[in-house]
Amino acid sequence: MIRFAASVSGLGLLAGLALAPLLVPPPAWAAAEIVIPIRGVSPEGVGAPLGTLTASDGPDGLVLVPALRGLPPGPHGLHLHQFPSCAPAVKDGHSGAALAAGGHFDPDASGAHRGPEQPGHRGDLPRLEVAADGTATAPLRAPRLHLADLPGHAVVIHQGGDTYADAPQPLGGGGARIACGVVP
């Protein structure tokens, strides 16, 4: 009888050990989706929450689903940037919003701003379209990126649209950085 009780409790211990790995969360790179909190930014710092951008792998590349509010209506440049920071920084003697995020993610060192479909910065994402009420909810597709590319970077929303060209204005003419989120 005592041997049976010991065996049963030993089985319980083994079952508990077998389930233990299931209790440890997977690393961010193994997730099915990543939710990126987006906040307003200014030269003074990071501001109020504006919503989220949910990223997942799809059959044709990265799928981004915005759930954003409080943005100016119209098209906005959207990019994955080099560094995981939304802090202001100084460039050319002037403080700028989210400049600590660095430039567009360009692991291939292309030096070219051509948009999400063409060879160039892999951080070039589709334009974010914001409705008249300040919301953005339409899914976007970035065919040259995957979920595993996102950790260690920031997503930046620019004031203006993006022409996906370096002329007549550099980096598509998106202008100032108005919102940012660090990929967890």
Side-chain angles (χ1 to χ4, degrees), residues 110-181:
S110 71
H113 180 70
R114 296 191 181 128
E117 303 283 339
Q118 303 297 319
H121 299 158
R122 281 201 272 150
D124 292 346
L125 301 174
R127 277 185 287 279
L128 179 70
E129 295 291 335
V130 177
D133 67 357
T135 63
T137 58
L140 308 166
R141 184 180 64 83
R144 298 178 58 234
L145 287 175
H146 299 282
L147 203 59
D149 295 321
L150 300 183
H153 300 285
V155 175
V156 174
I157 300 171
H158 293 267
Q159 181 177 355
D162 191 335
T163 63
Y164 302 126
D166 286 319
Q169 295 179 359
L171 301 173
R177 301 170 185 200
I178 62 168
C180 181

Side-chain angles (χ1 to χ4, degrees), residues 72-131:
H76 295 274
L78 179 67
H79 303 100
L80 183 66
H81 281 248
Q82 293 174 290
F83 305 118
S85 177
C86 292
V90 175
K91 182 177 178 182
D92 300 327
H94 300 287
S95 180
L99 288 180
H104 297 177
F105 177 59
D106 189 17
D108 307 317
S110 71
H113 180 70
R114 296 191 181 128
E117 303 283 339
Q118 303 297 319
H121 299 158
R122 281 201 272 150
D124 292 346
L125 301 174
R127 277 185 287 279
L128 179 70
E129 295 291 335
V130 177

